[in-house]
């Protein structure tokens, strides 16, 4: 960043890159990653997720068992992500169907033994972000109208239900983002209609503090 104070921290405060600032392309990281044990482990299971998407639970379990324990990822193919109706990749956000095609689900109340309410689970995650830091969850400018006009009206605000930390809620049909509750699952950046959220790294290493991991 250039300049002093918050005004100069273009990327940190606004998520915008100043073309006048010097930049470096980190290529060594990718090269080192491909030579590491992490890359080997990820390559072994590269087809597992797509197997469940392609063949369901039964087929996914069978394929994953073979890939993880027998072939060890040495199968000479990589299962492709299916194409969407527009010819592009069928992303998770495009797989969401309009709310009118479904009936609301009434879930039983948490029993406090095997199931717990959202706030209790959130407290156990130990998540913490400084109250005065810029929100790391930012609506992309080119799709700023999506939350109220599409997500709420067409899909009945799925982000207000799938987020495990209650980060997203609508108040008087306006989106409110409680970024301080975020537990960094990044589901929102993948599943939101039109992928309207830009998930950025929060300041100061904030986030969940899982103790037994």
């Amino acid at each position: 960043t250039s300049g002093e104070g918050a005004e100069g921290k273009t990327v940190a405060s606004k998520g915008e890159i100043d073309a006048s600032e010097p930049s470096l392309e980190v290529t060594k990281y990718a090269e080192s990653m491909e030579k590491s044990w992490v890359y080997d482990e990820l390559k072994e299971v590269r087809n597992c997720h797509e197997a469940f998407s392609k063949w369901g639970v039964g087929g996914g379990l069978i394929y994953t068992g073979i890939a993880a324990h027998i072939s060890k990822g040495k199968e000479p193919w990589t299962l492709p992500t299916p194409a969407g109706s527009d010819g592009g990749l069928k992303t998770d956000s495009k797989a969401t169907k309009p709310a009118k095609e479904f009936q609301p689900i009434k879930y039983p109340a948490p029993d406090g033994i095997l199931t717990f309410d959202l706030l209790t689970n959130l407290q156990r995650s130990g998540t913490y972000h400084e109250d005065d830091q810029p929100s790391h969850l930012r609506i992309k400018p080119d799709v700023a109208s999506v939350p109220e006009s599409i997500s709420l009206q067409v899909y009945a605000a799925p982000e207000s239900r799938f987020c495990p930390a209650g980060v997203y809620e609508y108040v008087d049909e306006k989106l409110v983002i409680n970024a301080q509750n975020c537990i960094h699952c990044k589901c929102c950046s993948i599943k939101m209609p039109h992928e309207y959220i830009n998930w950025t790294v929060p300041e100061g290493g904030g986030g969940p503090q899982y103790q037994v991991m």
Side-chain angles (χ1 to χ4, degrees):
T1 59
S2 60
E4 297 181 359
E7 299 80 13
K9 297 179 179 178
T10 309
V11 176
S13 61
K14 300 180 181 179
E16 300 173 359
I17 296 176
D18 186 344
S20 66
E21 295 178 352
S23 61
L24 295 174
E25 183 178 357
V26 183
T27 58
K28 194 68 176 178
Y29 178 84
E31 295 171 0
S32 299
M33 177 68 177
E34 291 179 1
K35 297 176 182 177
S36 72
W37 60 269
V38 177
Y39 183 85
D40 293 337
E41 286 195 355
L42 291 175
K43 187 175 181 180
E44 285 186 12
V45 297
R46 69 187 183 281
N47 288 323
C48 295
H49 181 276
E50 193 56 48
F52 281 95
S53 177
K54 194 177 185 68
W55 298 306
V57 176
L61 285 173
I62 293 172
Y63 186 95
T64 299
I66 294 173
H69 300 289
I70 299 177
S71 67
K72 296 290 185 179
K74 291 184 173 60
E75 55 266 35
W77 61 78
T78 297
L79 296 177
T81 300
S85 57
D86 59 357
L89 293 178
K90 185 179 180 181
T91 61
D92 283 339
S93 62
K94 293 178 181 178
T96 306
K97 297 180 180 180
K100 65 182 181 181
E101 298 182 17
F102 304 91
Q103 293 296 324
I105 300 174
K106 293 184 178 180
Y107 295 98
D111 59 17
I113 300 175
L114 294 177
T115 58
F116 302 89
D117 63 274
L118 186 147
L119 292 179
T120 298
N121 285 332
L122 181 61
Q123 183 180 33
R124 288 173 174 167
S125 74
T127 192
Y128 176 77
H129 299 85
E130 291 288 348
D131 293 334
D132 59 350
Q133 71 175 245
S135 173
H136 65 285
L137 303 170
R138 298 161 184 168
I139 299 176
K140 298 175 183 177
D142 57 327
V143 287
S145 63
V146 168
E148 287 85 12
S149 64
I150 298 179
S151 183
L152 178 61
Q153 303 300 332
V154 178
Y155 301 102
E159 62 270 50
S160 66
R161 294 188 298 279
F162 68 62
C163 177
V167 170
Y168 302 94
E169 61 179 334
Y170 284 83
V171 178
D172 295 329
E173 297 194 353
K174 294 292 183 181
L175 178 66
V176 176
I177 300 178
N178 304 302
Q180 70 277 7
N181 289 356
C182 183
I183 59 173
H184 299 190
C185 70
K186 295 189 178 181
C187 182
C188 58
S189 66
I190 299 171
K191 192 62 178 173
M192 296 290 210
H194 295 269
E195 297 180 358
Y196 72 76
I197 280 290
N198 180 26
W199 199 102
T200 64
V201 179
E203 291 183 359
Q209 308 293 324
Y210 299 116
Q211 301 299 316
V212 190
M213 290 188 71

